[in-house]
Amino acid sequence: MAVVDAPTSRTGDRAPGFGRPSMGFIFWLSVTWILLVVLAAALADVVPLRDPDALGVRTGEIERFETPGKNAWFGGDGQGRDLFAQVIHGARPAMVLSAAVTSIGGSLGVLVGVVAGYFRGRTDSVIMGVAEIMFAFPAIILLFAVSAVWGMTMAILIPAMAILAVPGYARIVRGVTIALAERDFVDAARAMGASRSRVVIKELLPLVALPAIAFGFLGFGLVIATEGALAFLGLGLEQRTWGSLIAGGQGLIREAPHLALIPATAMFLTIMAFNYVGDGIRELIDPRPIVVGRKRKADGHDPAISAASDALLSIRDLTTSFPTAGGTVTAVDGVSLDVRTGRSVGIVGESGSGKTMLLRSITGAFPVLGVQRTGRVVVDGTDLLTASPAQRSTMLGTEIGIVSQNPLTALNPVRTVGSQLIEVMRVHREISKAAARARAIESLAQVGIPQPDQRVDMYPHQLSGGMRQRVTIALALANEPRLLLADEPTTALDVTIQDQILRLLSALCEQRDMALVLVTHDLQVVRGWTDDVAVMYGGQIVEAGPTAAVFDDPQHQYTQALLASTPRLDLRPHSRLAAIEGQPPSLVAPPPGCRFAARCTIADDRCRAEDPMPVQIRDREFRCWYPGTGKVT
Amino acid sequence: MSAVARLTVRLVVVALAVSFASFSLLSAAPGDPAAAKAGFSATPERVAEIRSELGLDDPFLVRYGDWLAGVVQGNFGTSVLNQQPASKLIGDAMPHTVELMILAQIIALGVAIPAGVYSAQRPNGWFDRLAGAVSFGMLATPPFVLGIYLAFVFAVRLDWLPAVATDLPGLLEDPVENLRQMILPALTLASGMVAIYVRLLRTDLIETLQQDFVLMAQSRGYSRRRVLWRHAFRPSAFSLLTATGLTTAGLLGGALIAETLFAVPGVGRLAVTAIFTEDYDVVMGVVLLLSVAFVVTNFVVDALYTVLDPRVRHGSR
């Protein structure tokens, strides 16, 4: 085993979270468009337009169905009326209606939502129940019926649509309120004697306002669209609206397409603008940056592929980094590690030391996007970082088996145990379905699952945690790999089951001459079940060697601290445990010098300034300026 | 209670509530069905005669009860327009609307599933951004506006497809001509759903792709495609499925527009005409049908859940 020098390469810090620009050019373009439409609605009577009702056939100014051009920008309709003037005038009812519906419906909805979310309980279920029913029935049909019965004036349309808008706002605001009400400051205000309604008004409403306004913009667009739809069905407002213009032009789509297309486009752009602004505001509140980076191929062919090493798994200078909002995290930093056939190696460290990422870097399956790996991960002579996809896939499927941390999440919940076992066999080798099934049952028996012929048809949720872990082991072993990677295979399990699983893993490794890499934070597990150990800290291996030797005589100060912090059964009860003070180092900007220096009891200026050179003494390695018991002067 | 019994109870409750509400609404309407039936030249005596024939002088609850009793016996009343039974009018129009809705769902899912899956694989990649922008546009486009654009481009400019479906043959009689006429209304209906579906699937799939069992599948050397479709897709499809059920209700509203725009002789257009002509038996029949369809669709979605998610099947989620 070797612990190697400082990281070979480090990707430059990427700008955090490059989601879509929410307040960019299009946002302001949308705002401008909205302002223009509002101005048109307000000033239609003031600006020098043609009279929208003046018949061009009489005045001679505009011909019938005149096409858009210099004379009439938007052309003329069947009677030669000026379409531009009509569109400008048509903006007003839409704006008035939307503004009224959005403000009335919106404030009612906010109120209802806050009440439901704050008081919860029966109030909430009644309100949300009613809202649910209102959602269920298509609004357009209700409005259609209302307008058919009572006619279509602003006085009817505004309240009808406002009522229909309430559930939408209520649902959003309720969600926000519930989240807020659980936070401390509301409790604090209550504790200081503020009455319930006071808390609602003074503390919650201001916070709820922004999401409601964002939704209001979306709702504004929806009202315009709904009025248009009603007008289109022949039940629009009495006034001239975009909807009625579209409805009027629709039948003439062949003869004079501009009559329908121009008002339709005006409406489309307006709704789009309102939606975009609403979305922009919403993103202000709820930024969800998805961290992404471009996958880059690890730069390739290194001729110096470890000919010297006879190891089954040989990791050289492996560095794994990925971008986050806070900067590039280098989770594995220049790690080298060899695992020989038949040996078991424990990788131990605190959470966040990079041990799980090290294991994932071998298989290349990460839960985050944009992970970059450099260095080499050679399994049986093939570098997994530079191998072709087909080669890589075969290596992963047949040479490497992996057992995950949490058996409850490691199995596909919607497929039977058997189908998952059969799949892994049939993907990687020629085997009939029946034979694979027989093998699946056999392998379940091998990992100690009773009644395997019945269990094979069960779904993961029908099995206990321990059983599920046995299934993942069976899956890992299905193609008889030579290297088994296990990431804390017992952490999620009951103590009594833990021992069984470890015993099983160990026995299987021995029977099949498999190499095992066992990641764990449990020193007792390492001590009991591994031949060699590598201690990780801050993304690096700080000490490695035969397990017994490292435990008996730890060299690195961190290893010593780690051993000292573990409760031991041979100590007297209530003897004081030494916990390691402080926090692990940042993996975004690790400190210069020894990574453990900040928490080390004997660190000096040298430790803080210079990264310790790795020292190799026979089969042991460590990187510490003051190994062993401390300073030797 | 068995599933079928639950469905029946739900059906009855919803149908009663919805029909009662619409019946009250229509009773409050200012129009006079008797006058409509009697025609323009009828004398007031003749109108009064028809009124009592139709039972319009009875109290509201009695009339509702009569209507309900009729429905239970399969009698949905008679159209005042052409004296045909309402059930026949609705029955004739129904297949077109069902076809339209199914076609729209097929188009929507057919577009949204690949688009959502592809987007989720590379969040913020070029395809994802494009799909996001297009979905955004689709959500902002009212169906009748889109329908007009589609009619203009495909029927007027390119002249590939008819702009109206007035002489619509049955799907089985002349499938090619039928689909030619139905494709534009179906597209109109589908567009809003595509946007919703893409967003839902994308979000859920991004989450699933980070889950342990997907990472494990990757570590077993499975191809991207296998991981995506055989492991990640099904657990990510539940929201999509719910949405498919919910949008079916919205589709009924959309069908009103699409059928009117393209003159499809379906239930939506029938309802619009019926409301304008105060043909209330037909309106009531359609409303009842819609509520039943809504309940049944959601029931089917629930049933599909059980097929897709074994955790629901075994009642341990």
Side-chain angles (χ1 to χ4, degrees):
Chain A
M1 268 179 242
V3 178
V4 192
D5 45 326
T8 44
S9 71
R10 178 79 54 83
T11 39
D13 281 5
R14 210 179 289 268
F18 59 98
R20 66 177 148 160
S22 54
M23 289 291 157
F25 177 67
I26 303 179
F27 180 85
W28 293 112
L29 201 67
S30 303
V31 172
T32 313
W33 178 260
I34 292 174
L35 287 177
L36 275 177
V37 173
V38 170
L39 273 180
L43 303 178
D45 299 326
V46 185
V47 284
L49 284 173
R50 288 198 178 99
D51 177 358
D53 295 313
L55 301 179
V57 280
R58 280 203 204 132
T59 60
E61 275 186 63
I62 300 173
E63 291 168 35
R64 294 187 69 209
F65 298 127
E66 183 166 316
T67 46
K70 249 190 187 150
N71 178 35
W73 293 347
F74 288 177
D77 69 5
Q79 277 102 40
R81 285 178 296 206
D82 183 22
L83 189 59
F84 182 68
Q86 295 192 49
V87 168
I88 295 288
H89 278 270
R92 182 178 292 172
M95 288 296 121
V96 171
L97 179 72
S98 300
V101 169
T102 307
S103 51
I104 297 173
S107 17
L108 271 176
V110 168
L111 209 65
V112 170
V114 167
V115 167
Y118 187 72
F119 292 95
R120 308 286 280 276
R122 189 172 294 170
T123 322
D124 185 29
S125 18
V126 169
I127 291 175
M128 291 327 284
V130 173
E132 210 57 40
I133 294 171
M134 288 179 70
F135 271 125
F137 218 72
I140 186 85
I141 291 182
L142 281 177
L143 284 173
F144 190 64
V146 167
S147 63
V149 171
W150 285 301
M152 202 28 94
T153 60
M154 282 279 185
I156 285 171
L157 202 53
I158 289 174
M161 290 185 77
I163 290 172
L164 285 172
V166 167
Y169 291 92
R171 190 156 66 165
I172 292 212
V173 168
R174 171 181 175 268
V176 179
T177 308
I178 288 177
L180 287 174
E182 278 162 7
R183 292 220 310 244
D184 295 344
F185 69 93
V186 173
D187 286 342
R190 293 272 303 275
M192 289 189 300
S195 73
R196 279 191 150 197
S197 48
R198 220 184 127 77
V199 171
V200 168
I201 291 164
K202 285 208 71 173
E203 309 284 342
L204 286 179
L205 276 184
L207 290 164
V208 161
L210 206 53
I213 289 172
F215 190 71
F217 273 93
L218 302 178
F220 212 101
L222 193 65
V223 174
I224 298 177
T226 309
E227 191 281 325
L230 284 172
F232 179 76
L233 292 173
L235 285 163
L237 288 166
E238 294 142 346
Q239 290 96 323
R240 172 185 293 117
T241 67
W242 290 342
S244 67
L245 289 175
I246 297 170
Q250 188 247 125
L252 300 163
I253 190 90
R254 276 183 195 283
E255 298 79 6
H258 66 276
L259 286 182
L261 289 182
I262 289 176
T265 306
M267 181 182 275
F268 166 69
L269 289 177
T270 308
I271 296 171
M272 189 86 159
F274 273 103
N275 283 11
Y276 204 89
V277 172
D279 222 45
I281 297 177
R282 193 168 53 187
E283 258 174 47
L284 274 187
I285 319 160
D286 177 28
R288 273 186 299 175
I290 297 165
V291 184
V292 185
R294 205 159 293 206
K295 261 189 198 157
R296 203 185 295 160
K297 285 233 169 80
D299 37 349
H301 307 284
D302 197 330
I305 258 189
S306 56
S309 164
D310 60 342
L312 178 64
L313 167 68
S314 171
I315 299 175
R316 282 289 169 279
D317 255 349
L318 178 67
T319 297
T320 304
S321 55
F322 54 91
T324 67
T328 300
V329 166
T330 305
V332 176
D333 198 347
V335 162
S336 295
L337 180 77
D338 284 349
V339 181
R340 291 204 304 279
T341 305
R343 296 286 280 189
S344 54
V345 178
I347 297 182
V348 72
E350 294 167 279
S351 357
S353 61
K355 53 191 195 305
T356 293
M357 275 310 266
L358 172 59
L359 209 65
R360 290 197 161 131
S361 302
I362 300 173
T363 60
F366 300 98
V368 285
L369 287 163
V371 177
Q372 293 191 24
R373 292 178 291 170
T374 59
R376 289 203 303 273
V377 177
V378 181
V379 176
D380 205 15
T382 308
D383 186 350
L384 291 177
L385 265 55
T386 52
S388 72
Q391 229 179 342
R392 218 178 69 85
S393 153
T394 311
M395 292 300 292
L396 286 175
T398 59
E399 292 284 302
I400 303 175
I402 182 155
V403 179
S404 121
Q405 190 164 7
N406 188 349
L408 303 183
T409 55
L411 296 168
N412 189 326
V414 300
R415 293 177 53 191
T416 62
V417 165
S419 92
Q420 299 185 50
L421 273 164
I422 291 167
E423 179 182 30
V424 72
M425 285 184 256
R426 293 192 25 108
V427 166
H428 290 296
R429 49 173 147 153
E430 298 290 318
I431 183 170
S432 74
K433 220 170 189 167
R437 187 181 155 85
R439 284 259 321 134
I441 295 172
E442 204 178 298
S443 66
L444 287 178
Q446 275 168 10
V447 294
I449 291 181
Q451 296 155 323
D453 50 335
Q454 287 167 31
R455 296 262 154 76
V456 75
D457 292 321
M458 287 191 173
Y459 289 92
H461 70 270
Q462 294 170 294
L463 301 175
S464 71
M467 285 295 155
R468 285 195 227 183
Q469 192 61 303
R470 287 172 193 270
V471 172
T472 65
I473 293 173
L475 271 168
L477 299 180
N479 290 325
E480 285 157 4
R482 297 170 60 201
L483 172 66
L484 188 63
L485 308 176
D487 182 9
E488 310 226 18
T490 57
T491 321
L493 301 174
D494 220 272
V495 188
T496 48
I497 313 283
Q498 285 186 12
D499 202 54
Q500 292 176 13
I501 295 288
L502 287 167
R503 203 174 295 276
L504 174 70
L505 279 177
S506 168
L508 287 166
C509 284
E510 200 157 314
Q511 282 166 25
R512 304 176 178 214
D513 207 20
M514 267 189 310
L516 171 69
V517 177
L518 181 67
V519 167
T520 179
H521 65 264
D522 188 339
L523 289 172
Q524 297 311 317
V525 168
V526 175
R527 182 176 234 168
W529 303 99
T530 63
D531 302 322
D532 300 306
V533 65
V535 180
M536 279 193 85
Y537 188 79
Q540 300 176 328
I541 291 182
V542 293
E543 174 158 9
T547 306
V550 172
F551 273 72
D552 286 348
D553 181 21
Q555 293 299 309
H556 198 284
Q557 294 301 322
Y558 174 65
T559 316
Q560 295 181 18
L562 199 62
L563 286 171
S565 72
T566 332
R568 276 165 41 188
L569 292 176
D570 54 338
L571 288 177
R572 267 179 305 141
H574 306 298
S575 61
R576 216 172 142 252
L577 294 178
I580 310 175
E581 298 276 326
Q583 295 295 316
S586 153
L587 295 177
V588 175
C594 174
R595 302 216 162 159
F596 186 58
R599 298 165 78 184
C600 181
T601 48
I602 63 164
D604 62 10
D605 289 345
R606 183 187 187 191
C607 298
R608 282 183 277 272
E610 283 178 63
D611 203 5
M613 293 297 293
V615 178
Q616 184 159 16
I617 303 172
R618 285 197 302 279
D619 54 358
R620 300 192 53 182
E621 291 205 26
F622 47 87
R623 47 200 307 172
C624 179
W625 290 121
Y626 303 108
T629 47
K631 293 182 193 192
V632 185
T633 35
Chain B
M1 207 170 6
S2 78
V4 177
R6 267 206 311 273
L7 172 67
T8 316
V9 170
R10 223 193 299 172
L11 266 180
V12 170
V13 170
V14 173
L16 276 179
V18 171
S19 65
F20 185 78
S22 4
F23 205 90
S24 340
L25 203 62
L26 292 178
S27 301
D32 186 349
K37 186 177 180 179
F40 285 117
S41 51
T43 57
E45 292 76 33
R46 174 71 187 132
V47 172
E49 207 175 296
I50 292 174
R51 282 189 73 81
S52 62
E53 256 174 50
L54 292 174
L56 289 173
D57 293 325
D58 295 336
F60 168 72
L61 278 179
V62 175
R63 278 185 288 139
Y64 179 65
D66 287 348
W67 177 81
L68 207 58
V71 167
V72 173
Q73 294 158 23
N75 175 11
F76 288 78
T78 311
S79 163
V80 291
L81 267 195
N82 51 15
Q83 311 307 324
Q84 292 200 19
S87 52
K88 180 176 185 306
L89 289 176
I90 295 170
D92 288 347
M94 197 61 195
H96 299 309
T97 302
V98 171
E99 183 197 339
L100 183 63
M101 283 166 51
I102 292 176
L103 217 55
Q105 289 285 17
I106 291 175
I107 293 173
L109 290 171
V111 173
I113 289 177
V117 168
Y118 203 82
S119 290
Q121 277 181 285
R122 290 272 161 86
N124 278 5
W126 69 269
F127 185 86
D128 185 37
R129 285 190 226 192
L130 181 73
V134 172
S135 314
F136 196 85
M138 281 172 148
L139 271 182
T141 318
F144 61 96
V145 169
L146 180 78
I148 285 171
Y149 285 145
L150 286 176
F152 178 66
V153 173
F154 291 103
V156 176
R157 272 291 146 92
L158 300 172
D159 203 15
W160 289 351
L161 298 162
V164 285
T166 33
D167 51 348
L168 185 68
L171 181 60
L172 298 176
E173 294 156 31
D174 185 352
V176 176
E177 183 55 32
N178 174 290
L179 288 178
R180 249 171 63 80
Q181 298 193 10
M182 285 297 246
I183 197 82
L184 287 182
L187 273 175
T188 305
L189 210 50
S191 79
M193 294 187 297
V194 171
I196 298 172
Y197 293 172
V198 169
R199 286 185 169 195
L200 279 176
L201 183 60
R202 175 185 177 277
T203 313
D204 284 3
L205 197 57
I206 287 176
E207 205 184 302
T208 310
L209 283 176
Q210 292 169 7
Q211 280 189 6
D212 217 10
F213 68 88
V214 172
L215 297 179
M216 290 297 282
Q218 278 170 10
S219 332
R220 275 178 218 130
Y222 295 165
S223 66
R224 261 170 97 93
R225 180 179 293 183
R226 173 173 287 273
V227 170
L228 210 54
W229 291 104
R230 299 275 299 153
H231 289 267
F233 180 69
R234 194 144 68 113
S236 311
F238 299 126
S239 304
L240 186 65
L241 189 65
T242 317
T244 313
L246 285 178
T247 49
T248 303
L251 272 190
L252 302 168
L256 228 64
I257 306 274
E259 289 179 3
T260 306
L261 181 56
F262 292 98
V264 179
V267 175
R269 192 150 157 262
L270 181 69
V272 174
T273 322
I275 286 185
F276 278 121
T277 52
E278 291 167 12
D279 200 350
Y280 290 153
D281 278 346
V282 176
V283 176
M284 281 305 296
V286 172
V287 166
L288 191 67
L289 185 84
L290 293 189
S291 53
V292 169
F294 180 67
V295 175
V296 171
T297 316
N298 280 298
F299 179 78
V300 170
V301 168
D302 278 354
L304 271 180
Y305 262 131
T306 348
V307 176
L308 276 175
D309 191 343
R311 289 167 293 185
V312 176
R313 203 180 315 158
H314 299 112
S316 64
R317 194 153 187 192

